[in-house]
PDB file of all heavy atoms in Angstrom:
ATOM      1  N   VAL A  12     -60.844  13.139  20.902  1.00 42.00           N
ATOM      2  CA  VAL A  12     -60.691  12.803  22.320  1.00 42.00           C
ATOM      3  C   VAL A  12     -60.217  11.361  22.438  1.00 42.00           C
ATOM      4  O   VAL A  12     -59.497  11.047  23.435  1.00 42.00           O
ATOM      5  CB  VAL A  12     -62.056  12.985  23.035  1.00 42.00           C
ATOM      6  CG1 VAL A  12     -61.899  12.648  24.542  1.00 42.00           C
ATOM      7  CG2 VAL A  12     -62.523  14.416  22.885  1.00 42.00           C
ATOM      8  N   CYS A  48     -33.065  26.291  54.044  1.00 84.00           N
ATOM      9  CA  CYS A  48     -33.374  26.601  55.442  1.00 84.00           C
ATOM     10  C   CYS A  48     -33.127  28.089  55.765  1.00 84.00           C
ATOM     11  O   CYS A  48     -32.476  28.453  56.742  1.00 84.00           O
ATOM     12  CB  CYS A  48     -32.530  25.717  56.397  1.00 84.00           C
ATOM     13  SG  CYS A  48     -32.935  23.968  56.227  1.00 84.00           S
ATOM     14  N   LEU A 198     -63.699  11.673  30.850  1.00 86.00           N
ATOM     15  CA  LEU A 198     -63.255  11.769  29.451  1.00 86.00           C
ATOM     16  C   LEU A 198     -63.495  10.460  28.732  1.00 86.00           C
ATOM     17  O   LEU A 198     -63.886  10.473  27.538  1.00 86.00           O
ATOM     18  CB  LEU A 198     -61.775  12.134  29.404  1.00 86.00           C
ATOM     19  CG  LEU A 198     -61.471  13.588  29.762  1.00 86.00           C
ATOM     20  CD1 LEU A 198     -59.958  13.820  29.784  1.00 86.00           C
ATOM     21  CD2 LEU A 198     -62.170  14.576  28.829  1.00 86.00           C
ATOM     22  N   GLU A 213     -63.298   0.683  16.101  1.00 85.00           N
ATOM     23  CA  GLU A 213     -62.318   1.548  16.740  1.00 85.00           C
ATOM     24  C   GLU A 213     -61.024   0.837  17.020  1.00 85.00           C
ATOM     25  O   GLU A 213     -59.910   1.361  16.844  1.00 85.00           O
ATOM     26  CB  GLU A 213     -62.852   2.127  18.046  1.00 85.00           C
ATOM     27  CG  GLU A 213     -62.093   3.345  18.537  1.00 85.00           C
ATOM     28  CD  GLU A 213     -62.880   4.141  19.556  1.00 85.00           C
ATOM     29  OE1 GLU A 213     -63.970   4.613  19.270  1.00 85.00           O
ATOM     30  OE2 GLU A 213     -62.387   4.245  20.737  1.00 85.00           O
ATOM     31  N   ARG A 229     -40.695   1.482   7.896  1.00 94.00           N
ATOM     32  CA  ARG A 229     -39.735   0.510   7.306  1.00 94.00           C
ATOM     33  C   ARG A 229     -39.532   0.705   5.825  1.00 94.00           C
ATOM     34  O   ARG A 229     -38.430   0.602   5.336  1.00 94.00           O
ATOM     35  CB  ARG A 229     -40.238  -0.921   7.623  1.00 94.00           C
ATOM     36  CG  ARG A 229     -40.039  -1.326   9.072  1.00 94.00           C
ATOM     37  CD  ARG A 229     -40.237  -2.779   9.244  1.00 94.00           C
ATOM     38  NE  ARG A 229     -41.696  -3.128   9.201  1.00 94.00           N
ATOM     39  CZ  ARG A 229     -42.153  -4.271   8.703  1.00 94.00           C
ATOM     40  NH1 ARG A 229     -41.357  -5.209   8.221  1.00 94.00           N
ATOM     41  NH2 ARG A 229     -43.447  -4.533   8.757  1.00 94.00           N
ATOM     42  N   ARG A 257     -28.182  -5.513  -2.129  1.00 89.00           N
ATOM     43  CA  ARG A 257     -28.169  -5.794  -3.554  1.00 89.00           C
ATOM     44  C   ARG A 257     -29.443  -6.449  -3.972  1.00 89.00           C
ATOM     45  O   ARG A 257     -30.004  -6.202  -5.094  1.00 89.00           O
ATOM     46  CB  ARG A 257     -26.948  -6.677  -3.899  1.00 89.00           C
ATOM     47  CG  ARG A 257     -25.616  -5.940  -3.855  1.00 89.00           C
ATOM     48  CD  ARG A 257     -24.529  -6.727  -4.566  1.00 89.00           C
ATOM     49  NE  ARG A 257     -24.262  -8.012  -3.915  1.00 89.00           N
ATOM     50  CZ  ARG A 257     -23.399  -8.203  -2.933  1.00 89.00           C
ATOM     51  NH1 ARG A 257     -22.687  -7.137  -2.445  1.00 89.00           N
ATOM     52  NH2 ARG A 257     -23.222  -9.375  -2.372  1.00 89.00           N
TER      53      ARG A 257
END
Side-chain angles (χ1 to χ4, degrees):
V12 179
C48 297
L198 287 176
E213 196 164 301
R229 285 193 284 149
R257 286 195 298 271

